[in-house]
């Protein structure tokens, strides 16, 4: 990878988010816990989720990821509590489209994910970037299945 591309991808903002990951305390009684690993780089994210209806009431995460995956998990940790499952899934889809299809970055409370735009060119890191959101989507599906699918829908994975 050329130096300029490396500088763009691993910029100061990404490194700052990666260095300060919030909500790293695991939850004692989560509604669901999901761990996912990126097979390409070995990044791993484990999430604990508590829902109140369709709104995230509690969140904990353990992040062992590259700088890009850590930055994405940091942004998730900062914004997740109080969001609905639909809001989180919409942000996940927008991030996926930004990385894989050149779409616009997520907006609203998720606007900080825009810093990951340079990573579009680094396909080997897309899975790591998506780990926290993919784990959340899987956790939501598990919770919805336990609740009888009241909020469930078919979901494609990134």
């Amino acid at each position: 990878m050329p130096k300029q591309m490396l500088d763009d991808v691993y910029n100061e903002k990404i490194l700052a988010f990666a260095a300060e990951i919030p909500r790293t305390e695991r939850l004692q009684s989560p509604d669901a816990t999901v761990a996912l690993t990126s097979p390409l780089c070995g990044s791993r994210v484990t999430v604990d989720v508590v829902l109140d209806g369709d709104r995230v009431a509690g969140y904990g995460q353990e992040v062992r990821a590259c700088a890009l995956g850590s930055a994405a998990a940091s942004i998730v940790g900062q914004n997740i509590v109080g969001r609905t499952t639909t809001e989180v899934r919409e942000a996940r889809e927008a991030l996926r489209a930004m990385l894989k299809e050149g779409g616009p970055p997520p907006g609203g409370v998720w606007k900080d994910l825009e810093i990951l735009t340079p990573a579009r060119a680094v396909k080997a890191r897309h899975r790591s970037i998506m780990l926290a959101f993919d784990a959340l989507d899987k956790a939501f599906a598990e919770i919805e299945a336990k609740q009888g699918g009241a909020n469930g829908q078919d979901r494609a994975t990134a």
Side-chain angles (χ1 to χ4, degrees):
M1 185 180 313
K3 183 178 179 343
Q4 184 57 51
M5 182 185 270
L6 274 174
D7 290 346
D8 290 345
V9 172
Y10 295 99
N11 64 59
E12 192 173 307
K13 289 180 181 176
I14 286 173
L15 297 176
F17 274 109
E20 295 293 329
I21 301 173
R23 301 193 181 279
T24 56
E25 295 293 319
R26 300 290 305 277
L27 302 184
Q28 292 299 313
S29 299
D31 294 334
T33 296
V34 172
L36 294 179
T37 302
S38 172
L40 289 176
C41 67
S43 290
R44 182 177 179 82
V45 172
T46 303
V47 301
D48 297 323
V49 181
V50 173
L51 292 182
D52 181 6
D54 72 340
R55 203 166 285 279
V56 177
Y59 182 75
Q61 61 184 348
E62 181 177 289
V63 181
R64 303 278 186 258
C66 65
L68 297 171
S70 292
S74 178
I75 294 166
V76 167
Q78 287 178 3
N79 297 292
I80 190 71
V81 173
R83 303 289 157 235
T84 66
T85 57
T86 299
E87 289 173 307
V88 175
R89 285 173 164 148
E90 287 172 352
R92 174 183 177 258
E93 179 54 29
L95 178 60
R96 188 202 61 74
M98 179 189 88
L99 292 171
K100 298 185 182 296
E101 300 165 11
V109 299
W110 305 105
K111 67 184 180 313
D112 285 335
L113 291 167
E114 179 178 23
I115 66 166
L116 296 164
T117 302
R120 286 176 176 155
V122 190
K123 292 185 185 332
R125 292 294 186 252
H126 289 185
R127 178 82 171 120
S128 180
I129 292 168
M130 295 298 302
L131 281 175
F133 278 110
D134 289 347
L136 277 163
D137 188 57
K138 189 172 180 180
F140 295 162
E142 286 181 14
I143 295 166
E144 291 162 357
K146 288 179 201 171
Q147 297 171 343
N151 298 321
Q153 301 174 17
D154 256 339
R155 306 265 183 260
T157 57

